[in-house]
Amino acid sequence: MSYVGPDFEPPQPRRPRRGPLTVALAALVPGALLGWLVYEGVGGSGGSDAAGAHSSPSSSSAVSSSSSSSSSSSSPGAGEPSSAGGGDDAKRADPTPGASAPAGSGSLRGKVVVIDPGHNPGNFRHTAEINRQVDVGNGRKECDTTGTSTNDGYTEAEFTLDVSHRLRTLLEQQGATVRLTHDNDSPSWGPCVDERARIGNTAPADAAISIHADGAAEGDRGFHVILPGSVHAGAADTRPILDSSSDLGQRVAGSFLRETGEPPSNYIGEGTGLVTRTDLGGLNLSTVPKVFIECGNMRDSKDSARLTTGAWRQKAAQGISEGIVSFLRES
């Protein structure tokens, strides 16, 4: 998702829901961030020779995790056998948008997660439909956009579906019921941002996340998690979900940083990896805890080398999954 002059708000402090948890997290964060700095200092993964210049999200929570041993596809020339589109898990589709995938018997049994893969591969064939204005509570915005791509043509829509498939598999293994807002050609474009929010609301989701990648300038790199700002206008009222969404976002940022080695954004968020926005319909209209994650910048050569690699996308899914699992276990 590319930013063109949005109105940003600085990350909003949240009121901790549990005193002991806050103390525990405060003790864990410095160790997690120090470990990342040491990791980057000795070279890190994915050839990130500039990562040490960026600060990590100081408010992100350190969480425990189970590691993932699976990896799938990569882009040609990335040193892996298959294509950038993803492995077998990327080919499985929910029969209808928002359909429920089978739940397992793990610790998240009974929990519902809605994954919103940003954009849609078919959007570019439906420009009239996606350019239609929809109400986002405090204004009107396009139904959807085409998203961005790497300089070699690997699209954000392909990336978000692949990561979403991997994430779904990981969460199902934990016992969660997982729903996608769309999958492959169902529907063939969109859905609109208001409908994406509605799918999460009607699930109803215990947690929802929208997967994206950015389209900024070369040299702008790193991930950031977008939190909902306070909006109370029209059909939008984010006030009941501000604290829970902030908690979810901080946990996702911390685990994503640890699992992927991707630095916090050096061009937005002031090194925290966290940004608050009030102009995104998918957040404004949500009534359940929800965040967006921009996994990296597809237009930066270092970030794109990671985003087009199946093994790194598996790490991205693992990091996001761990944040969601941590949030749901504590909620």
Side-chain angles (χ1 to χ4, degrees), residues 10-17 21-22 25 57-63 206-209 225-230 238-254 272-277 283 286 288-292 323-324 326-327:
Q12 301 296 315
R14 68 180 183 93
R15 297 183 299 277
R17 294 181 299 168
L21 176 61
T22 301
L25 292 178
S58 59
S59 55
S60 298
S61 301
V63 294
D206 295 288
I209 189 163
V225 175
I226 304 174
L227 313 176
S230 182
T238 62
R239 294 173 298 177
I241 65 164
L242 290 180
D243 284 354
S244 56
S245 296
S246 178
D247 187 11
L248 172 63
Q250 291 179 37
R251 291 173 187 269
V252 168
T272 66
L274 298 170
V275 176
T276 300
R277 292 182 62 171
L283 294 180
S286 182
V288 300
K290 185 175 182 180
V291 297
F292 280 42
I324 293 173
S326 173
F327 170 79

Side-chain angles (χ1 to χ4, degrees), residues 120-205:
N120 187 313
N123 278 359
F124 74 95
R125 292 188 294 267
H126 296 271
T127 55
E129 290 90 343
I130 66 171
N131 286 333
R132 178 174 62 86
Q133 298 283 302
V134 298
D135 189 350
V136 298
N138 58 356
R140 299 184 69 81
K141 293 195 72 171
E142 294 85 356
C143 158
D144 201 5
T145 64
T146 59
T148 188
S149 68
T150 67
N151 293 329
D152 292 332
Y154 180 50
T155 67
E156 182 183 0
E158 293 176 88
F159 170 82
T160 64
L161 273 172
D162 183 68
V163 172
S164 295
H165 292 154
R166 296 169 188 268
L167 176 59
R168 174 176 60 187
T169 297
L170 292 169
L171 291 171
E172 287 176 352
Q173 289 170 354
Q174 295 287 334
T177 296
V178 182
R179 301 178 181 179
L180 269 60
T181 58
H182 71 96
D183 201 352
N184 293 320
D185 291 331
S186 181
S188 59
W189 59 272
C192 294
V193 294
D194 55 345
E195 178 61 20
R196 290 171 187 261
R198 191 175 301 115
I199 291 170
N201 296 344
T202 58

